[in-house]
Amino acid sequence: MIEIHDLHKRFGDHEVLKGVSLKVEAGEVVCLIGPSGSGKSTVLRCINGLESYEGGEVRVLGERVDRHAKSIHDLRSSVGMVFQRFNLFPHRTALDNVMEGPLYVKRMPAESARREAMVLLEKVGLAQKADAWPAQLSGGQQQRVAIARALAMKPKAMLFDEPTSALDPELVGEVLTVMRTLANEGMTMIVVTHEMGFAREVADRVCFLHSGSIVEAGPAVQLLSSPQHARTQDFLRRVLRPQV
Amino acid sequence: MTAFFQHAVDFLPILLQGAWVTVQVTVLSFALSSAIGLVLALMKVSHWRALSLAASTLINLIRGLPIIVQLFYIYFVLPDFGIQLSAFQAGVIGLGIAYSAYQAENFRAGIEAVDSGQLEAAQAIGMRMPMVMRRVILPQAFRIALPPYGNTLVMMLKDSSLVSTITVAEMTRAGQLIASSTFQNMTVYTLVALLYLVMSLPLVYGLRRLEGRLAARKT
């Protein structure tokens, strides 16, 4: 469903991605882990064309991702994205945030857009907050609305860019629960995360990135329990037992 | 003092007619300056370099010229090129253009103050750029730009008196005419000043309320 082949990306002199290849099948959940600055988020942003790339190729559903192509808008609406900082539209209510895409991008009739949006808010456990403004919601609630907003476009795959990193610890669980449900329903997901527990439990595969390359990739439990590469071992040791 | 009120009763109808013209000039040129300003601001934030350069050049040109000179140019010089405008039309267009530069800067600052994550979130659900602007960026930019925007409206109400220089019979011009024929300078200009305050103070108050209302909804 998503194929990345030898992806190269640079910001000025800094080469952020040095030939990343990754293939994600329909229904698969893949977690990208690695230290900050390793290029995890950039990989994700290349998949829906928020970022351009200089070398290699990204294909989604067989179609080449090109940030400047006319087709990029259709492609983006078939790949949902959830951001670290939620990025809800602050001038619209929770319900309107979810309806925005179906109503204006897909030009769905208002009544059915509203009905579907309510179903999605129900699904993320926020039906009672439909009329709340984003600023009235906790971080965890905002992120769940953001997930509902992405799902409203009926995407074939979902990209999560550190969805719980900006949350207070006690709010992480509610977001992970929603994501777990999605994974169990068979949604294709690529998740950039520092939640190793989530990766172990939900991911089919985990890829460890270090300074722009995938250093190690494999089935979640295997990679997280018995990493082969020294850098992976080092990283996991730090993450799992934070040094004070 | 009684003389003041007697004269006031005589002058007020004429001044109120002038005040009505002032309101018309202000509203029309404010609308025009908003429209041109928005176009200039969108050009300026565009990724197309030629567009943003053209916008910057125009903005600097307009800002670098005194408003009166622009009004004179439109009213007295354009007829030489076959463009005949009434004093009222020239006044509205002149003020509208002169103020569009400031409006453009207000709008541009507002647009650039909107979090970049908003653009990405809108793109991520498949929106094209015009829709991103219309549905996501501009409504937020407008809220950010509202205080300077309102300020511009108040300034415009006062600066509409500049069109008196090209014979538009707005309130200041009406006052001038009465004063020069009756020599009641104190009465006339006190009335003119009071009438400006009667228009501008409620405007200032109303704008502050509006800002407060919009801010309250965000929290």
Side-chain angles (χ1 to χ4, degrees), chain A residues 45 50 73 76-77 83 85 87-92 100 104-105 107 133 135-136 149 153, chain B residues 115 117-118 120-129 131 135-136 139-140 143 217-219:
Chain A
R45 294 163 58 83
L50 284 180
H73 306 285
R76 279 182 184 142
S77 57
F83 300 87
R85 280 164 51 245
N87 297 346
L88 287 184
F89 305 133
H91 56 304
R92 308 211 187 283
E100 186 74 17
Y104 290 92
V105 178
R107 309 216 165 272
W133 300 101
Q136 297 169 324
R149 176 176 68 179
M153 296 304 288
Chain B
D115 186 81
Q118 292 291 310
E120 297 191 339
Q123 287 180 323
I125 54 174
M127 284 192 183
R128 286 155 211 274
M129 209 49 201
M131 190 184 284
R135 297 286 309 166
V136 177
Q140 296 182 60
R143 201 164 300 184
R217 212 170 65 166
K218 281 190 80 177
T219 50

Side-chain angles (χ1 to χ4, degrees), chain B residues 32 45 48 64 104:
Chain B
L32 182 64
V45 298
W48 249 37

Side-chain angles (χ1 to χ4, degrees), chain A:
Chain A
M1 167 163 290
I2 296 171
E3 289 169 69
I4 303 172
H5 180 68
D6 197 27
L7 182 62
H8 285 263
K9 164 81 190 168
R10 52 169 63 246
F11 290 117
D13 288 340
H14 180 54
E15 194 169 21
V16 200
L17 298 178
K18 304 167 184 163
V20 170
S21 296
L22 175 67
K23 208 167 175 179
V24 179
E25 303 293 344
E28 242 189 332
V29 178
V30 174
C31 281
L32 305 182
I33 63 170
S36 61
S38 57
K40 317 179 291 284
S41 294
T42 309
V43 172
L44 219 55
R45 294 163 58 83
C46 285
I47 295 175
N48 72 349
L50 284 180
E51 212 76 74
S52 57
Y53 49 91
E54 283 91 41
E57 192 173 57
V58 180
R59 282 183 176 277
V60 173
L61 296 160
E63 192 180 347
R64 187 172 194 280
V65 179
D66 176 358
R67 184 177 158 69
H68 302 290
K70 286 240 181 303
S71 59
I72 189 70
H73 306 285
D74 297 332
L75 190 144
R76 279 182 184 142
S77 57
S78 64
V79 181
M81 176 124 183
V82 175
F83 300 87
Q84 182 177 355
R85 280 164 51 245
F86 333 132
N87 297 346
L88 287 184
F89 305 133
H91 56 304
R92 308 211 187 283
T93 62
L95 180 66
D96 286 339
N97 264 276
V98 180
M99 285 169 65
E100 186 74 17
L103 207 51
Y104 290 92
V105 178
K106 288 194 165 173
R107 309 216 165 272
M108 192 187 273
E111 213 22 71
S112 33
R114 176 178 301 269
R115 209 170 331 121
E116 290 186 11
M118 279 311 292
V119 171
L120 286 171
L121 282 177
E122 189 90 48
K123 181 186 179 113
V124 299
L126 288 171
Q128 78 286 2
K129 294 287 187 186
D131 295 321
W133 300 101
Q136 297 169 324
L137 300 174
S138 73
Q141 291 171 331
Q142 288 191 52
Q143 193 60 298
R144 286 187 281 154
V145 174
I147 293 173
R149 176 176 68 179
L151 289 174
M153 296 304 288
K154 301 199 173 69
K156 305 283 195 316
M158 287 279 283
L159 311 174
F160 292 85
D161 189 3
E162 303 202 30
T164 58
S165 298
L167 296 177
D168 290 337
E170 78 270 21
L171 302 178
V172 169
E174 60 191 65
V175 172
L176 292 183
T177 304
V178 170
M179 292 168 61
R180 199 173 289 125
T181 311
L182 275 182
N184 290 337
E185 289 170 1
M187 175 61 80
T188 311
M189 292 164 59
I190 304 183
V191 187
V192 170
T193 188
H194 293 289
E195 297 292 331
M196 295 306 148
F198 175 82
R200 179 189 298 264
E201 182 197 344
V202 178
D204 299 304
R205 271 187 301 145
V206 172
C207 300
F208 173 72
L209 273 88
H210 189 277
S211 59
S213 312
I214 293 183
V215 172
E216 188 170 353
V221 177
Q222 184 190 317
L223 186 136
L224 293 171
S225 311
S226 48
Q228 301 300 306
H229 200 285
R231 287 205 191 280
T232 320
Q233 293 166 355
D234 187 46
F235 174 76
L236 287 174
R237 205 177 306 123
R238 281 170 211 265
V239 176
L240 297 176
R241 255 179 263 112
Q243 281 146 6
V244 183

Side-chain angles (χ1 to χ4, degrees), chain B residues 3-217:
Chain B
F4 175 86
F5 283 112
Q6 268 169 8
H7 290 307
V9 173
D10 290 341
F11 301 158
L12 213 48
I14 306 172
L15 289 178
L16 283 176
Q17 273 181 10
W20 172 232
V21 178
T22 291
V23 169
Q24 288 175 307
V25 170
T26 305
V27 170
L28 291 176
S29 47
F30 188 68
L32 182 64
S33 70
S34 302
I36 304 176
L38 184 60
V39 172
L40 287 174
L42 288 174
M43 282 167 70
K44 197 157 177 186
V45 298
S46 150
H47 291 292
W48 249 37
R49 258 195 72 75
L51 272 185
S52 67
L53 206 69
S56 302
T57 312
L58 275 172
I59 289 171
N60 288 335
L61 206 70
I62 297 170
R63 272 203 301 202
L65 287 169
I67 297 180
I68 290 201
V69 174
Q70 297 184 44
L71 288 172
F72 284 177
Y73 211 88
I74 290 174
Y75 188 54
F76 297 118
V77 180
L78 287 191
D80 292 351
F81 298 95
I83 302 173
Q84 288 280 1
L85 295 169
S86 72
F88 183 84
Q89 290 168 335
V92 166
I93 293 172
L95 271 188
I97 292 175
Y99 263 78
S100 67
Y102 305 100
Q103 298 280 39
E105 290 296 292
N106 289 344
F107 290 145
R108 182 193 55 80
I111 290 169
E112 284 176 356
V114 175
D115 186 81
S116 62
Q118 292 291 310
L119 167 66
E120 297 191 339
Q123 287 180 323
I125 54 174
M127 284 192 183
R128 286 155 211 274
M129 209 49 201
M131 190 184 284
V132 173
M133 272 293 164
R134 194 163 47 83
R135 297 286 309 166
V136 177
I137 307 287
L138 287 181
Q140 296 182 60
F142 182 74
R143 201 164 300 184
I144 298 167
L146 186 62
Y149 190 59
N151 202 24
T152 306
L153 177 58
V154 176
M155 276 169 45
M156 232 165 164
L157 176 69
K158 298 180 295 173
D159 282 356
S160 66
S161 59
L162 287 169
V163 301
S164 65
T165 57
I166 54 168
T167 75
V168 177
E170 47 68 69
M171 192 163 66
T172 303
R173 174 86 179 159
Q176 262 179 336
L177 292 174
I178 301 171
S180 65
S181 60
T182 64
F183 303 108
Q184 297 292 331
N185 286 310
M186 214 254 293
T187 309
V188 171
Y189 289 121
T190 305
L191 281 174
V192 168
L194 284 175
L195 285 173
Y196 272 115
L197 286 177
V198 164
M199 291 191 279
S200 59
L201 291 182
L203 196 58
V204 170
Y205 177 75
L207 284 165
R208 190 167 312 154
R209 291 255 325 227
L210 183 61
E211 281 166 34
R213 269 240 305 278
L214 289 177
R217 212 170 65 166

